[in-house]
Amino acid sequence: MTTRRPRGPYAKSTARRQQILDAALALYAEAGTRGVSVREIAQRVGMTDAGVLHHFGSREALLTAVLEARDRADAEAYGDVREDPDAALQVIAHNAGTPGLVKLFLDVAAAAAEPDHPAHGYFAERYERYRDGTAAFLGASADAPPVPTARATPVDATWAARMLLAAVDGLQLQWLLNPDIDMAADLAALHRVLATALADRSNDG
């Protein structure tokens, strides 16, 4: 059975949306740490601001679509980060070269805590999908050797503190999206795991 491709106005609208998203991703990659305006995106594709927003409904919906497009591009380029730790490391390294997209992700994620925000469903589903996939991978590979990285990071108290603080920030965002999360219990469990890991390394040394 063959899949019918969209025709007519719908096909043109779909192609136009993709053109806008491609332009937005390129602009964010070029912009460094500064933001990208709707006007810049519109100019890149030869449209008005209103014309660009017409294809998405609002600025917030456009930015959500940009993040979704980034996820698809990363998956195509590097693979499934939920199942392949090497792919996850490659995505993180790539993100370090596109700080504008990282900032966009954090800005939209914070705003998406509101249930009526266009990105609320995207982030809630994304966290759930990534959490379940990563948990399954970690459970299946508990005895596997560590993933090699370009530069080894010392696993010491400074590293453990950085991981704990990162978890504090991330858990607060996840809690806003899912209030059932017990942040205190999760952080206490992580603290125990990190402290045990550091103690084991000290004993081994």
Side-chain angles (χ1 to χ4, degrees):
M1 181 177 178
T2 59
T3 301
R4 298 182 61 183
R5 295 182 177 179
R7 295 182 176 181
Y10 179 79
K12 292 180 180 178
S13 178
T14 300
R16 198 59 156 163
R17 278 174 58 95
Q18 188 58 52
Q19 181 186 19
I20 293 168
L21 293 175
D22 289 343
L25 288 174
L27 283 166
Y28 273 104
E30 299 165 7
T33 56
R34 73 174 182 83
V36 173
S37 67
V38 174
R39 176 159 298 179
E40 288 177 282
I41 298 172
Q43 290 175 343
R44 179 65 64 95
V45 294
M47 299 176 65
T48 64
D49 298 12
V52 167
L53 295 180
H54 168 76
H55 288 277
F56 297 90
S58 68
R59 178 179 179 275
E60 289 74 18
L62 166 62
L63 298 180
T64 303
V66 170
L67 293 176
E68 291 172 334
R70 185 189 70 160
D71 284 351
R72 291 192 297 270
D74 286 346
E76 291 174 4
Y78 305 109
D80 191 341
V81 299
R82 297 169 300 168
E83 301 176 359
D84 183 355
D86 186 55
L89 291 173
Q90 291 185 63
V91 169
I92 292 171
H94 173 71
N95 287 349
T98 55
L101 279 171
V102 174
K103 184 177 185 300
L104 173 66
F105 180 91
L106 295 174
D107 289 346
V108 178
E114 295 296 332
D116 59 349
H117 191 281
H120 182 84
Y122 162 74
F123 277 99
E125 191 274 335
R126 186 180 191 275
Y127 278 123
E128 182 177 356
R129 187 175 73 250
Y130 276 55
R131 181 198 63 218
D132 293 347
T134 302
F137 173 81
L138 290 173
S141 60
D143 298 324
V147 178
T149 59
R151 184 179 64 183
T153 296
V155 178
D156 54 17
T158 299
W159 170 84
R162 188 166 68 247
M163 295 303 99
L164 191 60
L165 290 172
V168 171
D169 292 342
L171 271 174
Q172 290 181 93
L173 178 57
Q174 292 190 46
W175 175 77
L176 288 173
L177 293 165
N178 178 11
D180 291 335
I181 291 175
D182 188 332
M183 291 190 290
D186 281 355
L187 290 171
L190 178 59
H191 184 275
R192 288 194 299 271
V193 169
L194 292 172
T196 300
L198 291 175
D200 290 344
R201 289 183 66 85
S202 177
N203 293 333
D204 291 342

